[in-house]
Amino acid sequence: MFLLIHSVIFQLCTTVCFYFFFFFFQAEDGIRDAQESRGLGDVYKRQYQRRVRGIRPRTMFAPPSAPGMEGTDASLGISGQRTSGHAVRQANVTAALAVANIVKSSLGPLGLDKMLLDNMGEITITNDGATILQLLEVEHPAGKILVELAGLQDSEVGDGTTSVVIIASELLRRASELVNQQIHPTSIISGYRLAMREACKYVEQHLAVDAETLGRECLMNTCRTTIASKLLSTDADFWANMCVDAVMNMKVVDPFTDKVSYPVKSIGILKKQGKGSKESALLEGFGLNCVRASQQMPKKLEGGIKIALLDYNLKKYRLAFGVQVVVTDPEELEKIRDKENSITKERIKLIIDAGANVIMTAKGIDDYSLKFLVENGIVGVQRVLKSDLRKLAKATGGRVVESLATLDGDEAFDPANLGDAGSVEQIRVCDDEMLLIKDTPVRKGNTILLRGPNQFYLDEAHRTITDCLLAIRRVVESGKVVPGGASVETALCIYLENFATTLGSREQLAISQFADALLVIPKTLASNAAKDAVELSAKLRAIHNISQTDPTKKNLQYRGLDLVNGTIRDNLEAGVLEPAMSKAKQLQFATEAAITILRIDDSVRINPEEPQGGGGRGMPPGMMG
């Protein structure tokens, strides 16, 4: 009996082992054959390894409750990481707040500067929000949205770059709190958009003041407000006068529509190290950081100047690269050289015969070409920036010529391409020289020459002057200004809180949070000035509440913060003014940026592809590569 049982058990074990090894090697052969025939080596490698090691395959697409999941989606054949739901919103809000906290301490006239060191060793010292964020290497997608937001505000208005980032991050933080209270993001987005529209309408109808009634002093005060938080604040009056004069000199009237514009981008800004900042000057004409190509050329030309603007080399003609000419006769070789010289000479002669006195090119001029220019008394200027060439073309009425080729296959230079100017002169500034082009007929030119002790100062002065020019242009084009010092934000806070109580929907909560978010500006301003933020913001809220509820005290709506003395004052009377467009753009851009980030509820990050051709250890034969 015992022997019978032992025999049955032995046969059973033998059968099980046989089938186990049979299916194992059959599966291995099937995977190898599929890899060789279909070229899906990487996918089957992972399947094989999981099967051998007993690892259960994980998909990239996790259930909604899971905060994150890594792996490979078998149906799509991609690998990556997915984050969804509360986790992705929390990550986006954290990134936005981290970016805002970097620039928050630089807000206001008493804000602090940041020193940034890039990977090339260059140092930048500034408190301009857009510049700080552009120099930071932000990798998080939500953080990049705020960086682009600051750049957009800088290009549209010039000022308010720090404020718009702070407001956007605060809107996101409060929206996250509402989502945690089971308020749907769609309701929050709807409330935010409604609050933004109502806020912009209130600013335009109640807080904006006509700039024309305030005269030139309004432009001066706007410029002083922009400079107040910058390095040039000690000489605010000097710089304000210079910027206002530069913008007003650029007035252009369209002859067809009578529309007035101020192309401030045509105002040149040159930086020359040396002397003090008050040695800076506003020069009449276009200044170029270039000199004559030869000392034998005239230093000054006056009366009926014709300028040729070129975007190609004035160098000795040579055969194209790769062209080979086999010459057996030395006389024929000399003829080829003479022909190359004559081609260069003829091209220069075409420009001179058109009437050009000055030739400016974005490329180079060699010695052979300089010889002909000097012989004809022509001023040649090389290595001119293309942006300067385009500005000169608009001012002189000329065109930038990229080639002398015509449709007939010949070469010609049309005299209509020449620009006009009254005079061209090379002047000396400190130890350097520059060209000055005056009396351009189409558009008047202005150049601000900045002087300073070091390059850090000049760079920051350049950024400040650019912001001032843009702010002044927005005031003269829109004709509206608003008081600064957190006056607008506090007034909007009170108005939106009262407006929210008139709604009976879930949007009421979002509008209320939008109103509270605007208070981050007065609180941050007061904190950076080392004042009691809670007390000052509470007093300012009380004053604006009175101005909106008592018609006899409506003049209190212009009250704002006096950060030097830590009190409340009438900022319209004190001259703390900002372009009305600046506040409207801040609210619009900040709201749209917050909504863009708030709409994200799923994030998929694709892993980089693994390098092909490397076999792994423990891989079965036939699966290498």
Side-chain angles (χ1 to χ4, degrees), residues 367-557:
D367 294 339
Y368 185 79
S369 301
L370 284 177
K371 173 188 173 183
F372 300 110
L373 297 181
V374 172
E375 289 176 353
N376 291 274
I378 305 299
V379 175
V381 184
Q382 59 182 343
R383 308 300 179 191
V384 182
L385 295 177
K386 290 186 179 181
S387 58
D388 290 338
L389 283 181
R390 287 191 288 267
K391 291 179 183 178
L392 279 173
K394 292 180 180 179
T396 61
R399 286 193 290 268
V400 179
V401 179
E402 297 182 354
S403 174
L404 294 177
T406 63
L407 295 177
D408 298 329
D410 299 328
E411 290 187 341
F413 188 88
D414 190 355
N417 294 330
L418 296 175
D420 299 320
S423 66
V424 176
E425 181 182 4
Q426 181 171 311
I427 61 175
R428 174 169 288 276
V429 178
C430 194
D431 295 333
D432 204 355
E433 291 185 335
M434 57 176 285
L435 283 176
L436 191 62
I437 304 168
K438 297 183 180 180
D439 301 330
T440 52
V442 179
R443 182 181 292 177
K444 192 174 181 181
N446 282 314
T447 301
I448 297 177
L449 181 62
L450 297 179
R451 308 300 304 275
N454 52 53
Q455 193 62 34
F456 304 128
Y457 184 92
L458 292 175
D459 291 340
E460 181 66 9
H462 189 178
R463 288 186 286 266
T464 303
I465 294 300
T466 302
D467 291 347
C468 291
L469 295 177
L470 290 172
I472 294 172
R473 185 188 70 173
R474 290 305 182 187
V475 172
V476 294
E477 288 183 352
S478 65
K480 298 289 184 180
V481 294
V482 293
S487 175
V488 173
E489 288 81 5
T490 309
L492 290 177
C493 174
I494 300 298
Y495 171 73
L496 291 176
E497 282 183 349
N498 296 330
F499 174 74
T501 58
T502 63
L503 301 178
S505 60
R506 290 193 174 188
E507 283 78 6
Q508 180 191 88
L509 298 175
I511 295 175
S512 178
Q513 292 290 347
F514 190 100
D516 291 340
L518 295 178
L519 287 180
V520 70
I521 297 298
K523 290 179 180 179
T524 304
L525 287 173
S527 298
N528 292 343
K531 307 298 180 184
D532 191 341
V534 176
E535 181 180 358
L536 283 177
S537 60
K539 289 182 179 179
L540 196 57
R541 277 169 52 86
I543 292 174
H544 280 277
N545 183 55
I546 295 174
S547 70
Q548 295 183 22
T549 55
D550 190 350
T552 61
K553 296 183 179 180
K554 191 176 180 179
N555 60 330
L556 296 177
Q557 66 180 350

Side-chain angles (χ1 to χ4, degrees), residues 91-404:
N92 290 339
V93 171
T94 302
L97 290 176
V99 171
N101 287 334
I102 295 174
V103 298
K104 185 174 286 188
S105 62
S106 64
L107 179 66
L110 301 177
L112 304 178
D113 291 349
K114 308 292 182 183
M115 183 172 66
L116 304 169
L117 179 66
D118 62 10
N119 54 3
M120 300 298 293
E122 295 184 4
I123 299 175
T124 302
I125 302 175
T126 182
N127 69 346
D128 182 64
T131 304
I132 295 171
L133 295 179
Q134 287 172 1
L135 293 175
L136 292 177
E137 296 181 0
V138 180
E139 296 183 356
H140 196 280
K144 288 182 178 180
I145 292 177
L146 293 188
V147 174
E148 295 173 358
L149 171 67
L152 182 62
Q153 176 75 12
D154 188 44
S155 61
E156 286 286 331
V157 183
D159 197 15
T161 55
T162 305
S163 300
V164 70
V165 173
I166 294 174
I167 293 175
S169 64
E170 187 67 17
L171 289 175
L172 272 175
R173 187 179 70 83
R174 294 183 176 273
S176 178
E177 294 177 356
L178 290 177
V179 172
N180 293 337
Q181 298 174 13
Q182 306 304 317
I183 305 297
H184 198 275
T186 302
S187 300
I188 301 173
I189 291 171
S190 176
Y192 274 9
R193 285 199 169 125
L194 179 58
M196 182 264 292
R197 289 194 295 268
E198 290 295 325
C200 292
K201 189 187 302 182
Y202 186 82
V203 170
E204 183 180 357
Q205 295 178 354
H206 297 88
L207 298 178
V209 181
D210 191 1
E212 294 182 359
T213 59
L214 301 178
R216 178 184 172 89
E217 191 63 24
C218 172
L219 302 179
M220 294 281 292
N221 288 330
T222 303
C223 193
R224 291 191 192 103
T225 304
T226 305
I227 296 177
S229 60
K230 310 295 183 182
L231 197 62
L232 307 181
S233 58
T234 54
D235 301 320
D237 292 338
F238 171 78
W239 294 107
N241 267 310
M242 182 183 297
C243 293
V244 172
D245 290 340
V247 174
M248 300 309 292
N249 289 340
M250 298 301 297
K251 183 178 180 180
V252 176
V253 181
D254 192 326
F256 300 102
T257 61
D258 293 333
K259 183 180 179 181
V260 179
S261 62
Y262 297 84
V264 296
K265 291 186 178 180
S266 298
I267 301 175
I269 301 178
L270 295 182
K271 299 176 287 187
K272 297 293 183 181
Q273 189 171 335
K275 294 190 177 181
S277 61
K278 282 202 170 183
E279 299 294 330
S280 303
L282 177 63
L283 305 178
E284 181 182 354
F286 275 92
L288 297 179
N289 200 14
C290 302
V291 295
R292 301 166 296 165
S294 173
Q295 294 296 324
Q296 297 178 353
M297 293 177 175
K299 198 170 185 178
K300 183 176 182 180
L301 295 176
E302 290 182 323
I305 305 300
K306 296 290 186 178
I307 304 176
L309 306 172
L310 310 179
D311 191 14
Y312 59 87
N313 283 309
L314 283 179
K315 293 185 177 181
K316 186 177 179 180
Y317 179 80
R318 298 183 184 279
L319 291 175
F321 182 76
V323 177
Q324 295 182 355
V325 179
V326 179
V327 180
T328 57
D329 188 356
E331 293 183 359
E332 295 296 329
L333 178 61
E334 194 64 28
K335 290 180 180 179
I336 293 176
R337 291 175 177 171
D338 293 340
K339 185 59 178 177
E340 290 178 347
N341 296 339
S342 64
I343 290 175
T344 304
K345 188 175 181 179
E346 289 172 3
R347 288 181 174 178
I348 297 175
K349 191 173 183 300
L350 287 174
I351 302 174
I352 297 175
D353 291 344
N357 309 102
V358 179
I359 297 178
M360 295 186 178
T361 177
K363 305 294 178 63
I365 305 176
D366 64 357
D367 294 339
Y368 185 79
S369 301
L370 284 177
K371 173 188 173 183
F372 300 110
L373 297 181
V374 172
E375 289 176 353
N376 291 274
I378 305 299
V379 175
V381 184
Q382 59 182 343
R383 308 300 179 191
V384 182
L385 295 177
K386 290 186 179 181
S387 58
D388 290 338
L389 283 181
R390 287 191 288 267
K391 291 179 183 178
L392 279 173
K394 292 180 180 179
T396 61
R399 286 193 290 268
V400 179
V401 179
E402 297 182 354
S403 174
L404 294 177

